[in-house]
Amino acid sequence: MPPSLTAALAEAIVAARPEADTAAMAAARRALVDFLACAFAGSRDRTVATVRTGMGDTPGRSPVIGSARPAEPQLAALLNGYAGHVLDYDDVHASVRGHPTTVIVPALLAALDPEAPPSAEAFLAAYLVGLETMAHLGRAIGPAHYERGFHATATLGPLGAAAAIAHLRGFSAETTAIALGLGATQAAGLRLQFGFDAKPLHAGLAARNGLIAARLAEAGLSGAPESLAGAAGFFEAYGFGEAKPERVLEEWGAPWQILRPGLTLKAFPCCTAAHPVAVAGLAFHRDGWRDVARATITFPPGGDAALVVRAPRTGIEARFSPEYILAAALVDGAVRLDHFDERPVRSELAALAERVERRHDTAAPRLTSDPGTRFVVVELADQQGRTAQRRIDGLPGLDDPDAKFRDAKAGSDALQAVPHLVRTMRTPGDLARLLQLLAQP
Amino acid sequence: MPPSLTAALAEAIVAARPEADTAAMAAARRALVDFLACAFAGSRDRTVATVRTGMGDTPGRSPVIGSARPAEPQLAALLNGYAGHVLDYDDVHASVRGHPTTVIVPALLAALDPEAPPSAEAFLAAYLVGLETMAHLGRAIGPAHYERGFHATATLGPLGAAAAIAHLRGFSAETTAIALGLGATQAAGLRLQFGFDAKPLHAGLAARNGLIAARLAEAGLSGAPESLAGAAGFFEAYGFGEAKPERVLEEWGAPWQILRPGLTLKAFPCCTAAHPVAVAGLAFHRDGWRDVARATITFPPGGDAALVVRAPRTGIEARFSPEYILAAALVDGAVRLDHFDERPVRSELAALAERVERRHDTAAPRLTSDPGTRFVVVELADQQGRTAQRRIDGLPGLDDPDAKFRDAKAGSDALQAVPHLVRTMRTPGDLARLLQLLAQP
């Protein structure tokens, strides 16, 4: 019998050696700095305490980012995943069509023994394996999974997190396959929660569920060895008939998905699908556009599926409103954290957002996980009837997460050492030092 | 604007008064005795310790059935749901197409304060509301949800459990709607895990996820008020195009779903879909059939979707093999717990199971949640070519769970008081007494 798809993926997870790829490891270090910027800033969000209290606040030894109180591992995974995603400022990957790092890193942090951590290089390599897994699954499951209702961060996350932990802890291929199945059988998260606290909760739940999947497989709980392919498998259950399971292992690690199509570090603290809109708006602002009478934003079909809000009431809802984000860019010449907090939206920006129309270019290819399908066209008209137009292709990202870390105003002076430490860490001692810094409030 | 579907369901959950229905309350008491029989017997399964260790074994105050060590509420919900389902001996409901009690009761037990419990009647009423919710959702989501891959116990369970807790704790309709959405966004569990430890894990996870949904909604976490209906809603995401959301509130509480179509208490510790096969086999045994040369089992289309095993290797796998179950009934004249434990299957039974053929009556209506669509026809032939045939319609159940509780050999002598206590309990003091008994190892 040929090996099953899940067995083949498990073999690839076990055998992967991303630490040999200098560029991939450097990208992993940048991703970790960027994630920590988001998580430290997010740890100060009012709702983090709501989650911690609501979940029962069980103490333990696992680090909770930005908190002096470590927690039981499952709670720590959940809180760190939540904090990393609550500002919607964390990285995004086109193959995943979601946010891999805020699931994988919290799961890995909770899976290690804080008093006997693995080497920092092994930690980063495990992260890359988790990302590779999540990205390959995302590419294979097809666009309908997301468009018809699922939040891919949440559904693919438990599998990616389980893969990362399996690699870190040196599971056999058999145990890894069972861990993947225990992740697949916890895949959940509906996109209708976008704009609510439940959205970042998805990231935390995915991290925790991936941790549980790995832990129970390691403890010896039995599960289906094949969970992905076949009738009633993960891809059939969640793919709406568009999944291509045979793609899962295509180009595995060649190159690593963190390099191509690449992980996008977010330049703006709002939903990724609106980032090209922000770039266009900022460029118009730089060009001196001020009195905008009306505007049109054109997307490819499906390009605004995540942008579920047209008239936001609060900054939280505004993260998902391209109309409001365009208004912010045009008026303020900036798209900042303070546009997207819990306060009511600014009336001046809301009034301009009302004059923005959304359209779809039905002649363009539907948005897929291929970043080449992503574009927006923004057209402005002023009071005198003058118009201008900009087209932004692909997804603009951030090169330097160190500045973002500084801007996140992360805690104490000691934290200023984090970006350098992450860029250079190699040994278990280095990782232990990072774990100590994470617990700085 | 008309109230949304989720809001209307939430209103019904808040307003329900099942305690006024004597027959429904009596059925709830029988269901609880039956569940406790399964959970006490299940608590001695070898794998319970694996789950407890793998999950981190966090101590707390919530009762763990059959254990002197109470646990943190989420872990208690998970362990009790697991123990209740691990023997696949717990009740089943046709509208759910799964096992409601082993999700709802563990969630309710974990949601209450063991030192200040509600009245026993309020507890039973909340269970009925959870069951009603889960059953109405199951009827509305349609047959493809289960057939194409999902374990309805696991996917509908978090919503039913959240509804039960919302009712018990007197949530507003708004908070109840958010709790339902937080349940819907954790709906997961793949049927491909049938035959593995991951299957009872699903019940535990569903109980725990429903608890979390209710807890976080109560703590004030925001979530989508409408999660069931509409494009990209729960029914679209999970229904494979066959859901009928408009059916959710049809005949709510009129009569209660525990009375019609009714909850089936399992007479045999194996997958429900094979129970009519066991009944037919036992009848043939009573009639003196011994030397069976070959047999045929005919199902309606979809009637054996859960029966995923043809040639089991262990008793655990045999729970899902109608061929083996027929063999056990014919040879032993009984279908008992010891047919379905972790030991290898008996070679004598396996040899007979190999001579059993499975067929489908393609002229019959496909199996749906309507129990009237369920039947099997079993045909035997002996060495001399004599044949006989039996048809079993519907799903045979158990009337007296007290005997099942005794047969489960549940722990200490003190436990013999449980069936009577459950049948008569009314006050908070009665429920407190039950909670103490649950902690008997």
Side-chain angles (χ1 to χ4, degrees):
Chain A
M1 200 173 71
S4 77
L5 178 63
T6 309
L9 176 60
E11 294 277 4
I13 289 165
V14 168
R17 291 292 172 267
E19 54 270 52
D21 188 320
T22 314
M25 289 292 277
R29 294 172 189 274
R30 279 196 301 277
L32 185 53
V33 171
D34 187 82
F35 164 75
L36 293 174
C38 299
F40 272 110
S43 73
R44 297 191 299 271
D45 191 89
R46 181 185 54 82
T47 60
V48 171
T50 309
V51 174
R52 192 160 189 168
T53 306
M55 295 295 293
D57 201 3
T58 308
R61 300 191 311 153
S62 294
V64 176
I65 296 170
S67 165
R69 289 185 299 126
E72 175 274 320
Q74 291 177 47
L75 178 62
L78 189 143
L79 290 172
N80 290 332
Y82 187 94
H85 195 44
V86 66
L87 303 176
D88 228 311
Y89 199 12
D90 55 310
D91 62 49
V92 66
H93 193 282
S95 300
V96 174
R97 202 160 176 175
H99 307 268
T101 309
T102 194
V103 178
I104 299 166
V105 166
L108 279 172
L109 288 173
L112 54 77
D113 180 346
E115 282 163 30
S119 81
E121 289 206 322
F123 183 87
L124 292 165
Y127 161 72
L128 285 171
V129 171
L131 172 57
E132 193 73 9
T133 302
M134 207 166 156
H136 280 253
L137 292 170
R139 214 178 44 175
I141 205 163
H145 175 67
Y146 185 89
E147 289 171 10
R148 301 276 302 268
F150 287 102
H151 182 192
T153 302
T155 52
L156 308 177
L159 290 115
I165 296 170
H167 185 81
L168 185 71
R169 297 185 62 82
F171 288 6
S172 69
E174 290 70 24
T175 304
T176 301
I178 289 168
L180 289 171
L182 294 177
T185 211
Q186 295 184 78
L190 293 169
R191 222 158 36 72
L192 56 83
Q193 299 288 8
F194 284 12
F196 298 97
D197 302 335
K199 191 199 178 199
L201 181 68
H202 288 170
L205 291 170
R208 190 203 52 172
N209 294 347
L211 174 68
I212 290 170
R215 279 280 170 84
L216 290 177
E218 190 172 15
L221 206 75
S222 74
E226 176 58 68
S227 54
L228 298 172
F234 176 72
F235 284 118
E236 176 168 319
Y238 287 93
F240 297 90
E242 294 192 3
K244 295 189 170 62
E246 68 279 7
R247 293 199 63 194
V248 167
L249 282 163
E250 276 176 16
E251 300 172 328
W252 172 268
W256 296 98
Q257 286 269 326
I258 201 169
L259 298 176
R260 201 175 70 205
L263 190 69
T264 302
L265 309 185
K266 277 181 149 190
F268 311 106
C270 61
C271 180
T272 316
H275 282 212
V277 175
V279 170
L282 293 173
F284 281 124
H285 181 90
R286 277 196 302 274
D287 289 353
W289 274 81
R290 291 297 179 273
D291 287 319
V292 175
R294 55 196 160 71
T296 308
I297 309 173
T298 304
F299 293 93
D304 62 338
L307 301 169
V308 292
V309 178
R310 282 168 193 270
R313 290 163 297 186
T314 67
I316 309 288
E317 292 182 8
R319 294 172 190 161
F320 302 93
S321 169
E323 295 85 357
Y324 191 85
I325 290 161
L326 180 59
L330 289 169
V331 171
D332 293 344
V335 176
R336 296 177 308 243
L337 277 169
D338 67 4
H339 286 119
F340 303 110
D341 59 28
E342 65 200 56
R343 289 173 295 177
V345 293
R346 276 161 51 202
S347 54
E348 162 197 20
L349 301 185
L352 176 52
E354 275 179 23
R355 304 198 300 275
V356 178
E357 194 187 340
R358 213 189 279 203
R359 287 188 191 154
H360 297 91
D361 179 355
T362 53
R366 190 164 68 135
L367 183 72
T368 67
S369 63
D370 174 3
T373 60
R374 190 184 288 279
F375 72 88
V376 300
V377 178
V378 176
E379 195 168 356
L380 303 186
D382 70 7
Q383 310 289 356
Q384 286 72 44
R386 281 175 301 216
T387 64
Q389 183 180 302
R390 276 182 193 276
R391 178 183 170 104
I392 309 292
D393 285 288
L395 196 56
L398 190 72
D399 292 327
D400 180 11
D402 291 20
K404 185 167 161 180
F405 191 91
R406 287 191 302 272
D407 292 347
K409 299 187 186 65
S412 69
D413 287 349
L415 285 176
Q416 300 312 316
V418 166
H420 179 75
L421 175 59
V422 172
R423 283 190 192 274
T424 56
M425 65 186 189
R426 299 199 173 276
T427 65
D430 293 340
L431 188 55
R433 172 77 186 127
L434 179 64
L435 297 178
Q436 285 164 4
L437 288 173
L438 299 188
Q440 299 280 332
Chain B
M1 200 172 74
S4 77
L5 177 64
T6 309
L9 177 59
E11 294 277 5
I13 289 164
V14 168
R17 290 293 173 266
E19 54 269 52
D21 188 319
T22 315
M25 289 291 278
R29 293 172 190 276
R30 278 195 301 277
L32 185 53
V33 171
D34 188 82
F35 164 75
L36 293 175
C38 299
F40 272 110
S43 73
R44 296 190 299 271
D45 192 88
R46 181 185 54 82
T47 60
V48 171
T50 309
V51 174
R52 192 159 190 169
T53 305
M55 295 295 293
D57 201 2
T58 308
R61 299 192 310 154
S62 294
V64 176
I65 297 169
S67 165
R69 289 184 299 126
E72 175 274 320
Q74 292 177 47
L75 177 61
L78 189 144
L79 290 172
N80 290 332
Y82 187 94
H85 195 45
V86 66
L87 302 176
D88 228 311
Y89 199 12
D90 55 310
D91 62 48
V92 66
H93 193 282
S95 300
V96 173
R97 202 162 177 173
H99 307 267
T101 308
T102 194
V103 179
I104 299 167
V105 166
L108 279 172
L109 287 173
L112 53 78
D113 180 347
E115 283 163 28
S119 81
E121 289 206 322
F123 182 87
L124 292 165
Y127 161 71
L128 285 171
V129 171
L131 172 57
E132 192 73 8
T133 302
M134 208 166 156
H136 279 253
L137 292 170
R139 214 178 45 175
I141 206 164
H145 174 68
Y146 185 88
E147 289 171 12
R148 301 278 301 269
F150 287 102
H151 182 193
T153 302
T155 52
L156 307 176
L159 290 115
I165 297 170
H167 185 82
L168 185 71
R169 296 185 63 82
F171 287 5
S172 69
E174 290 71 23
T175 303
T176 301
I178 289 168
L180 289 170
L182 293 177
T185 211
Q186 295 183 81
L190 293 170
R191 221 159 37 70
L192 56 83
Q193 298 289 7
F194 284 12
F196 298 97
D197 302 335
K199 192 199 179 200
L201 182 69
H202 288 169
L205 291 171
R208 191 204 51 174
N209 293 347
L211 174 69
I212 290 171
R215 278 279 169 85
L216 291 177
E218 189 172 17
L221 205 77
S222 75
E226 176 57 68
S227 54
L228 298 173
F234 175 72
F235 284 119
E236 176 168 319
Y238 287 93
F240 296 91
E242 294 192 4
K244 294 188 170 62
E246 68 279 7
R247 292 199 64 193
V248 167
L249 283 164
E250 276 176 16
E251 301 172 329
W252 173 268
W256 296 98
Q257 287 270 325
I258 200 169
L259 299 177
R260 203 175 69 205
L263 190 69
T264 302
L265 308 185
K266 279 180 147 189
F268 311 107
C270 60
C271 181
T272 316
H275 282 212
V277 175
V279 170
L282 293 173
F284 281 123
H285 181 90
R286 277 196 303 274
D287 289 354
W289 274 81
R290 291 295 179 274
D291 287 320
V292 176
R294 56 196 159 72
T296 308
I297 310 173
T298 304
F299 293 94
D304 62 337
L307 300 170
V308 292
V309 178
R310 282 169 192 270
R313 290 162 298 185
T314 66
I316 309 289
E317 292 182 7
R319 295 171 190 163
F320 302 93
S321 169
E323 295 84 358
Y324 191 84
I325 290 162
L326 179 60
L330 288 169
V331 172
D332 294 345
V335 175
R336 297 176 307 242
L337 277 168
D338 67 5
H339 286 118
F340 303 111
D341 58 28
E342 66 200 56
R343 289 174 295 177
V345 293
R346 276 161 51 202
S347 55
E348 161 195 23
L349 301 186
L352 176 51
E354 273 178 26
R355 304 198 300 275
V356 179
E357 193 187 342
R358 214 188 279 204
R359 286 187 193 157
H360 296 91
D361 179 355
T362 54
R366 191 164 66 135
L367 183 72
T368 67
S369 62
D370 174 3
T373 60
R374 189 185 289 277
F375 72 89
V376 300
V377 178
V378 177
E379 195 169 355
L380 303 186
D382 69 9
Q383 310 288 357
Q384 286 71 45
R386 280 175 301 218
T387 65
Q389 182 179 301
R390 278 182 191 275
R391 179 183 169 106
I392 308 291
D393 285 287
L395 196 56
L398 190 71
D399 292 326
D400 180 12
D402 291 19
K404 184 166 161 181
F405 191 89
R406 286 191 302 272
D407 291 347
K409 301 188 184 65
S412 68
D413 288 349
L415 284 177
Q416 301 313 315
V418 166
H420 179 74
L421 175 59
V422 172
R423 283 191 193 273
T424 56
M425 64 184 187
R426 300 200 173 275
T427 65
D430 294 339
L431 188 55
R433 172 79 187 125
L434 179 64
L435 297 179
Q436 284 163 5
L437 288 173
L438 299 188
Q440 300 281 334

